[in-house]
Each structure stands twice: as C-alpha cells, then as structure tokens.
Amino acid sequence: MRARGNEVEVEHDVKVAMPDGVVLLTDVYHPVGVADAPTILERTPYGRRNFASAAGPEFAARGYRYLLQACRGTDGSGGVHSYFAEAADGRATADWIADQPWFDGNLGTFGASYMGFTQWALASTRPPHLKAMVVALSASVRAFSWYPGGSLALEVIIPWDLGAVQFNKPPNANTIRDVTPEGIARRMAELRAAFDHLPLGEVVRVVTGEDLPLYQDQLAHVGVGDPFWAALDYRPLLAEWTVPTLLVDGWHDYPLPRVVEDYVALTRSPAPVRLRIGAGGHLGGGGEGGMTDAPLDWFDTYLRGRPGVLGPHPISVHVQGEGGAWRDLDEWPPPATPTRWYLHPGGRLATDAPDAPGEPDRYRYDPADPTPAAGGIGMLTGGPVDNRALEERADVLVYTSEPLPDALTLLGPVDAELCVASSVDHTDVFVRLCDVAPDGASRNVCDGLQRFGDANRPEVRRDGDGTFRAAVRMWPAGHRFGAGHRLRVLVSSGAHPVYARNLGTGDPPATAEAMVAAEQAVYHDASRLSWVTLPHARD
C-alpha cells in the first residue's frame, strides 16, 4: 500500500441514532489537517476492533475520513441484528454523515463479504451523496451464497450463524478469530460435528445452547428465488445504477459467479464499473492490492476527482497456474473459444467425442460417508489443493487428458453437461476441473454442483433408458495449464460440507435424518455424451 501521509485522530463510540431510537456505535477516523476530506463508510457486524478492516484506518492516513460502524445488535450497538435492517440503518447513517460539519459532500462505501452486503443494502435506498463504492467478495443477491446449485452451503452458513449467536456477547470459541492456516484447521476440526449433525435444524442449538431465527429461516426458505429473501435481492437496482462501482473477488470465492453477473449488468447501466478478480478464496479474495491500492485508485478518481489514476481497461484478472500473471481485459466474458472436452471410457478426457457404444462408469454415493470437500469455494477452506487423495475414493470418477503439447489458458465461463442415471430421485452432481502437473499433483481449478429432484430444483426427467441430462454451472476460470500438464475432470455426488450432503430422500433440510444411498452412473458413449465446456482463451 502507498506511503502514509497524515496523522489520524480517532473518535470511538460515536452514537448515531436510528429512526426507531436504536443507537449504533461508530468509530470516526479523522485525517489531521485535511479540512475537505471525503468520507468512506464501512458497516460491520464483526466488531470494530477485533475484525475491522485492515485497510479502512489506512484510508484516513491518506487523507480520507473513515467511519467504521457496528451494525445493529453487534459490538455494543443497540437492537437485534437483522439482515433486513441494514438498508434502513445504512441510509440513516448516510443521512447523519451528511449533517456533520466535517462532511464535504462526497461519500464512498467500502468493505468485503458482509461489509459488501451492507453497501448494496445502503445503495438500494439511493442516498444522494453516495459517489463511489468498492464492493468486495459480495454479490447483489444475498441468498446466492447460501444455496449454490440448489444445495446448502454449510461451510458458509454454519460458521457464520454460530458466530452470529455471539453478537453483542464476549467472543468465545464460536467466533472466527484466527484466520491463519493453523487457526482455520483447528476451527474446521471443531466444526466437524456441527457439519455432520442431523437433523440440520438442531445444529446451532446443540452447539451454542441457543437458537438463531436466521438459521431456521435459511433452512425453511431454501432457494435464491424464495420470496422470503426478496428484500435482500438488489438485482433490480443494477440496470439504472449511476454510482461508480468497483467489484473485487477471487477465483475460488463462493459469490464469484453472481459478482461477475453483477458486473455484466452494471456495464449496461450509466455507472462507471470495473471488475478485479484475484487469487484465492473468501479469506484471500481480491489478490495482491485488491483491498488496498485498487480501492484507493477508485476513491481518488471518484471522490477526489483526480484524473489519470485508472488504467484504460475495466477488468483486471490474475490468471492462475503455471506462468500466470495479471491480465487486463475489455469485456466479460473475454474473447475465447468454447470447447467441449468429452468424457470417454477408461477415464480418458479429450476434445473428440466418443463414436461407439459403451458401458457407463458407476459409483455408489452414501450420505452416511459423504464425498468430502477438498479446497474449492468454502468460506474457510476455499482455494486450490492437491486432489490426489480425493481422486482415490471409490465414489469419485476421474477423467484425464493426454499431456498438453502447448500451454493452454482458460478464461471465462465453465459448464458441464453429463448424461447420468441414479437409483434415487433426489441427487446431486458435482463436477470439478483440475490441473495435473508432470509430478502428478492435481490441483482444482474450478467446480460446481447441481441438486436435482427437490422442490424448486431441476426435475429428474428420465429418458426411456433411465438416464437424464445433468447441466452443472461451474465457477468461471482464469487459469493457464503449462505445456506437459494434463486436464482432469472429477465427477461425484457431493463435496461435504462446502455443499450439504444430499440425503437422497427429498425430506425438508431442517428435519431430515433418514439417508438413502444412491447408485450412480455416468454415460459417455456415442448416443449419450457427457462433456465439460471450457473457454480456450486467445493468447
């Protein structure tokens, strides 16, 4: 980050009253000697000292006035925490800022994850002084992150909700504090019993001794399109948005597909918009400078009116893999050739389609011993890892290409369509793309899961031979496979607890306990093709 330029004075516990009388505590960082400092607001439920943005106070040292507010029902602020209160509370805070003698008329908002959600909530009220936003690791549709592919994102929901029980209480073991690799490993071990407990509706109460209405709502209203969550869906805002907005995320972060869709929608609006995708998962999304220099450039441009700060290209992505580097783009998706890579008998993966009859590959998925997650899009464990142990499991199918004669860059959307059969009507299909190095290490590039057969999910519409087409939307990719590397596709029926295991019964998730094992088949003959479509970039 750039060199500091100002001394900073901090007012702690400034009281900001909401229209209903609830008082929210706010820390105000003043840059000493800067009379016309633009204001940056960040609203967090995680505590202003324990989980505050590392970059926010640095903004004040660079001539911005920075406000960090504890959301309702957290860190000493009054009331009870609620997602549904953030729009009104954010707007009341923005109006309070506008009345302060130090306000220069220029308001920006900043933050990642939940602090990105509070920005979209405030934006939905269209505050007149809002001049710039930097939204990181967060999408305009709050429920998107809870229900990937129609499943339940247990590794997102359960840790967050266990922590939410402790809002406005002293921190304890249910609060995520140590985000080092060692700390995350310890936390995942502590959470194992919670992830595996049935019925799911009991988890928060069993672990904390209390219940959480939000958690019960998440189990009762499973689906992005459930009307219960409509007030937290800010997509209608995007088409007419005018406020300059920078979106930041990482290739292995769970909101990424929706963040990319937000970017595309905003390019059709009057608002200046840029997109930055860096390395890593949720805890490291945005990559180097994603939460520091890039936001400063954005705020310098749109809060200070400094010309020439931003480069000519609206998109910057850090292409992963061998020889990967930052790449500037003019559009999303970028120019690429969608290319089908077909599954073949014998575990082969190739761009030519099978041309003969053949038997399917079969495996048994047992929810009592669910296929585990390995890296991917988890909140705590997301990112690339070596998949070789996972690939040895009997419930995982593996398809591998020949070594690549030349380097291959993938950049853009990825999806799969498989011809499958299942002994049950309620099942999941999980597909993952890996990069296999010459030494045999197999690291995940992107993946996706689709749940079939449950209410509000794609139906299992079987052909006469019992098969059905399983379309799986995978995460977008930005990856370079080196010459001599191989592409590998994994197929299974889960990645627990990143995706909640499918119990095979279709019973409501809050109360389901019975489990039915599924006999699965994946076809790859001339009349029943299965493939993954990859975006071959134009280098």
Side-chain angles (χ1 to χ4, degrees):
M1 199 170 188
R2 300 177 199 142
R4 301 167 65 93
N6 292 93
E7 294 183 11
V8 177
E9 292 181 350
V10 185
E11 289 185 85
H12 291 296
D13 298 334
V14 175
K15 295 177 173 59
V16 180
M18 300 295 101
D20 62 356
V22 166
V23 173
L24 305 186
L25 299 184
T26 306
D27 293 344
V28 183
Y29 294 72
H30 297 282
V32 175
V34 184
D36 59 347
T39 299
I40 298 173
L41 171 66
E42 183 172 10
R43 305 186 62 251
T44 178
Y46 300 128
R48 289 159 292 150
R49 294 165 181 82
N50 295 329
F51 213 95
S53 164
E58 292 294 316
F59 292 151
R62 287 156 179 78
Y64 289 93
R65 185 168 282 104
Y66 168 69
L67 277 70
L68 183 62
Q69 183 177 78
C71 294
R72 176 180 295 250
T74 74
D75 190 26
S77 287
V80 177
H81 176 262
S82 171
Y83 279 90
F84 297 94
E86 301 297 11
D89 287 354
R91 178 56 185 269
T93 302
D95 291 344
W96 177 87
I97 290 171
D99 288 338
Q100 302 310 300
W102 39 254
F103 184 58
D104 78 335
N106 295 296
L107 174 64
T109 59
F110 171 81
S113 192
Y114 193 95
M115 290 76 85
F117 161 68
T118 58
Q119 292 185 71
W120 283 124
L122 168 60
S124 70
T125 71
R126 296 171 173 79
H129 300 292
L130 183 60
K131 302 294 178 61
M133 298 170 63
V134 176
V135 181
L137 320 182
S138 188
S140 65
V141 184
R142 186 67 193 97
F144 179 88
S145 298
W146 298 332
Y147 309 120
S151 179
L152 283 162
L154 289 192
E155 199 189 310
V156 174
I157 294 171
I158 287 179
W160 200 95
D161 288 6
L162 291 176
V165 174
Q166 300 301 314
F167 287 165
N168 264 341
K169 296 180 183 179
N172 69 4
N174 293 323
T175 304
I176 303 169
R177 289 173 287 174
D178 184 354
V179 295
T180 64
E182 296 77 15
I184 293 300
R186 285 193 297 271
R187 186 69 182 122
M188 287 298 291
E190 294 168 355
L191 288 167
R192 177 54 57 188
F195 292 141
D196 292 345
H197 183 85
L198 293 175
L200 286 175
E202 297 179 348
V203 168
V204 172
R205 179 172 52 79
V206 166
V207 174
T208 69
E210 303 178 40
D211 214 337
L212 184 72
L214 169 64
Y215 180 64
Q216 298 304 328
D217 289 338
Q218 288 168 324
L219 297 182
H221 303 281
V222 179
V224 172
D226 192 299
F228 185 84
W229 305 115
L232 308 180
D233 183 346
Y234 304 116
R235 281 176 294 186
L237 180 73
L238 303 181
E240 57 186 36
W241 194 232
T242 60
V243 176
T245 302
L246 170 64
L247 303 177
V248 179
D249 211 345
W251 289 115
H252 295 277
D253 193 20
Y254 52 82
L256 179 62
R258 182 61 240 179
V259 171
V260 170
E261 290 183 8
D262 288 348
Y263 172 78
V264 173
L266 286 168
T267 61
R268 303 185 183 114
S269 77
V273 59
R274 294 206 171 199
L275 174 67
R276 179 186 176 92
I277 306 175
H282 196 65
L283 295 182
E288 183 180 358
M291 295 302 295
T292 53
D293 291 339
L296 272 174
D297 289 345
W298 197 251
F299 291 136
D300 283 353
T301 298
Y302 291 106
L303 295 185
R304 294 190 183 279
R306 292 178 177 170
V309 176
L310 301 175
H313 304 284
I315 304 171
S316 294
V317 300
H318 193 186
V319 177
Q320 305 296 283
E322 184 176 280
W326 283 97
R327 183 178 297 199
D328 293 327
L329 306 172
D330 290 318
E331 59 184 323
W332 188 272
T337 303
T339 303
R340 289 182 178 179
W341 286 76
Y342 292 92
L343 311 189
H344 284 255
R348 191 166 71 91
L349 181 71
T351 54
D352 62 296
D355 57 4
E359 291 298 310
D361 292 322
R362 302 183 187 274
Y363 64 96
R364 186 173 192 266
Y365 175 75
D366 185 355
D369 179 25
T371 314
I377 62 164
M379 181 174 75
L380 302 180
T381 61
V385 300
D386 194 336
N387 279 240
R388 281 179 286 187
L390 178 67
E391 294 163 3
E392 291 296 321
R393 287 181 59 102
D395 56 1
V396 178
L397 302 180
V398 178
Y399 302 88
T400 308
S401 75
E402 294 296 319
L404 294 170
D406 302 298
L408 171 64
T409 298
L410 305 182
L411 192 51
V414 178
D415 59 72
E417 185 170 325
L418 309 183
C419 182
V420 302
S422 177
S423 62
V424 299
D425 288 332
H426 305 279
T427 192
D428 292 349
V429 176
F430 176 80
V431 183
R432 165 168 284 181
L433 174 67
C434 292
D435 179 347
V436 183
D439 65 1
S442 176
R443 295 190 174 274
N444 48 294
V445 173
C446 62
D447 52 54
L449 176 143
Q450 183 61 57
R451 178 155 291 189
F452 295 90
D454 289 356
N456 301 318
R457 310 291 181 269
E459 294 183 19
V460 176
R461 298 187 177 182
R462 303 180 191 273
D463 291 336
D465 59 1
T467 63
F468 66 95
R469 304 299 301 179
V472 180
R473 181 193 189 193
M474 299 167 67
W475 259 234
H479 190 89
R480 185 178 186 272
F481 291 76
H485 286 230
R486 293 175 290 164
L487 285 73
R488 177 169 290 167
V489 170
L490 312 185
V491 179
S492 66
S493 292
H496 180 73
V498 169
Y499 302 89
R501 53 185 162 169
N502 193 320
L503 302 184
T505 64
D507 294 337
T511 57
E513 293 185 77
M515 292 183 277
V516 177
E519 303 298 333
Q520 313 286 63
V522 176
Y523 289 76
H524 38 55
D525 57 63
S527 62
R528 292 171 293 192
L529 300 173
S530 295
W531 65 79
V532 174
T533 303
L534 304 180
H536 289 206
R538 303 171 190 172
D539 288 324

